[in-house]
Amino acid sequence: MDFVRKLLALVLGVALLALTACGAGTPRTVGAAEPLSSIKLTPGEDEDSAPKVEFDTPLEATEPGAKVLEEGDGAKVEEGQDVSYKLAGYNMKDGSEVGNTFKEPAMTLSVNDDLKEQDEQIHEILVGTKIGSWVAYVHPKNADESDDDGASANPKDPSQIDQLLILKVVDAKDKIKVDFTKEDGDAKKDAEPTADIAEDGSGTVKIPAGNEPPADLKVTTLKEGDGDKVKKSDTITVDYAGARWEDGEQFDSSYEKGSPATFGLDQVIKGWTEGLEGVKEGSTVLLTIPSKLAYDGQDGMPQGTLVFVVDVKSIDKPAK
């Protein structure tokens, strides 16, 4: 969904905010939050319904700002956690809704050093916010956005602040981590990796000693789901972590990125296409992929036999 992509980019791209101190009992704010004082929010009927949002129009803001409209009753977001959230956007001139993500799966943002480096203030406002809270904020357009006439946005121009975003903090969880270890000792013939993966996806993968991996693709089911079987033509959403057989060095992880990956199964390396075809939705599998079915000489990509833990979260059905 293009709207979802743009809103996610906005969350990551908000700039020029300054943390505003707030006393006990007053709403947490960031930047110039005064224009947000007229906002009245009524939550939707359920978690998949957008809120009803009213405010004085036109809502005029000359600087970015954010405000906690309604504090949740959950635990506070902690440094290092992954925050799940949903969004709705509103036209500041007339108050109309321009779109929302409430019927979609919650998106995820990692509250980590990378976010702090990209946008220290967004990092600061999220840390300490309670799960269930509703947050309003105005923002400048990203520099890579353009209007209908093709003109590029200037994030330093106050006139570019033309949309109000309402964010619901759905959840916050400790980051899932998969540890890969390369065992010491003598190599054993036909030895395969083993994994101990918890329900949340965290755990360890042990790669056998030696550098004589299986010659063929190996698929081990760690947890079998109860959904439909994945077809080669499907688009799927997965969480994963991958390491090299050679040394057990992890080279990629959607968990570390803070967001699952969505792709067409026929658009990835052959080891994934062949290894995940027929796997049930909701399953977690361990893939040992020989070089010929992996990146096999592609510049800038990990080489040799690769080992992946893959959690098939969903088969994405096309819209009717």
Side-chain angles (χ1 to χ4, degrees):
M1 178 186 291
D2 187 56
F3 177 73
V4 174
R5 180 187 62 79
K6 287 187 176 181
L7 288 184
L8 179 57
L10 290 170
V11 170
L12 293 174
V14 174
L16 305 177
L17 300 181
L19 186 65
T20 302
C22 55
T26 61
R28 295 188 66 200
T29 61
V30 163
E34 294 83 1
L36 307 178
S37 60
S38 69
I39 297 175
K40 296 179 180 179
L41 179 142
T42 303
E45 297 178 354
D46 52 41
E47 292 298 323
D48 296 329
S49 301
K52 179 181 178 181
V53 176
E54 299 175 293
F55 52 89
D56 295 340
T57 57
L59 193 157
E60 297 181 349
T62 58
E63 297 178 30
K67 178 182 180 180
V68 175
L69 298 175
E70 184 176 310
E71 189 173 55
D73 56 7
K76 291 183 178 181
V77 175
E78 297 180 5
E79 170 69 31
Q81 290 186 317
D82 287 338
V83 174
S84 300
Y85 64 96
K86 295 187 177 184
L87 289 171
Y90 300 86
N91 186 304
M92 291 169 59
K93 294 180 180 179
D94 60 16
S96 61
E97 182 188 300
V98 297
N100 73 79
T101 70
F102 279 80
K103 291 187 181 300
E104 305 296 324
M107 296 180 288
T108 304
L109 186 64
S110 294
V111 184
N112 54 19
D113 288 342
D114 288 340
L115 179 61
K116 189 173 184 179
E117 183 176 346
Q118 292 174 10
D119 194 317
E120 183 177 358
Q121 287 71 39
I122 288 297
H123 175 275
E124 291 298 329
I125 195 66
L126 285 176
V127 174
T129 295
K130 290 185 177 181
I131 296 170
S133 295
W134 292 86
V135 177
Y137 58 98
V138 288
H139 61 87
K141 290 182 180 179
N142 287 342
D144 60 356
E145 289 187 75
S146 59
D147 296 322
D148 293 339
D149 61 5
S152 297
N154 177 3
K156 295 183 179 181
D157 181 356
S159 69
Q160 299 292 343
I161 302 178
D162 65 354
Q163 189 175 112
L164 167 70
L165 296 184
I166 302 295
L167 178 150
K168 172 69 178 293
V169 180
V170 176
D171 201 359
K173 295 181 178 179
D174 292 339
K175 184 173 290 295
I176 295 172
K177 186 173 178 59
V178 178
D179 291 314
F180 292 87
T181 60
K182 181 71 174 180
E183 295 183 304
D184 296 326
D186 297 330
K188 296 180 181 179
K189 186 177 181 179
D190 298 326
E192 297 180 21
T194 58
D196 182 11
I197 304 297
E199 187 66 26
D200 67 357
S202 61
T204 58
V205 178
K206 294 181 179 180
I207 300 176
N211 199 25
E212 296 182 8
D216 299 316
L217 174 68
K218 299 293 182 181
V219 182
T220 302
T221 300
L222 304 176
K223 180 189 73 173
E224 186 172 42
D226 55 8
D228 295 336
K229 290 184 177 181
V230 176
K231 299 190 295 292
K232 185 177 180 180
S233 59
D234 283 337
T235 295
I236 62 177
T237 295
V238 306
D239 265 318
Y240 68 91
R244 299 185 302 181
W245 176 288
E246 178 183 8
D247 53 13
E249 185 72 23
Q250 181 174 296
F251 58 84
D252 196 8
S253 171
S254 68
Y255 299 111
E256 292 297 317
K257 295 174 182 176
S259 179
T262 299
F263 53 83
L265 189 57
D266 60 353
Q267 298 175 356
V268 289
I269 59 174
K270 292 181 180 179
W272 276 53
T273 303
E274 296 180 12
L276 296 179
E277 185 175 11
V279 170
K280 290 183 178 180
E281 183 180 34
S283 296
T284 301
V285 298
L286 183 65
L287 302 178
T288 303
I289 303 176
S291 179
K292 63 184 179 182
L293 298 179
Y295 297 106
D296 199 20
Q298 292 184 37
D299 290 342
M301 305 304 292
Q303 299 302 308
T305 295
L306 306 179
V307 180
F308 288 93
V309 172
V310 184
D311 176 9
V312 182
K313 303 182 77 66
S314 66
I315 300 174
D316 300 334
K317 307 295 184 184
K320 296 183 178 180

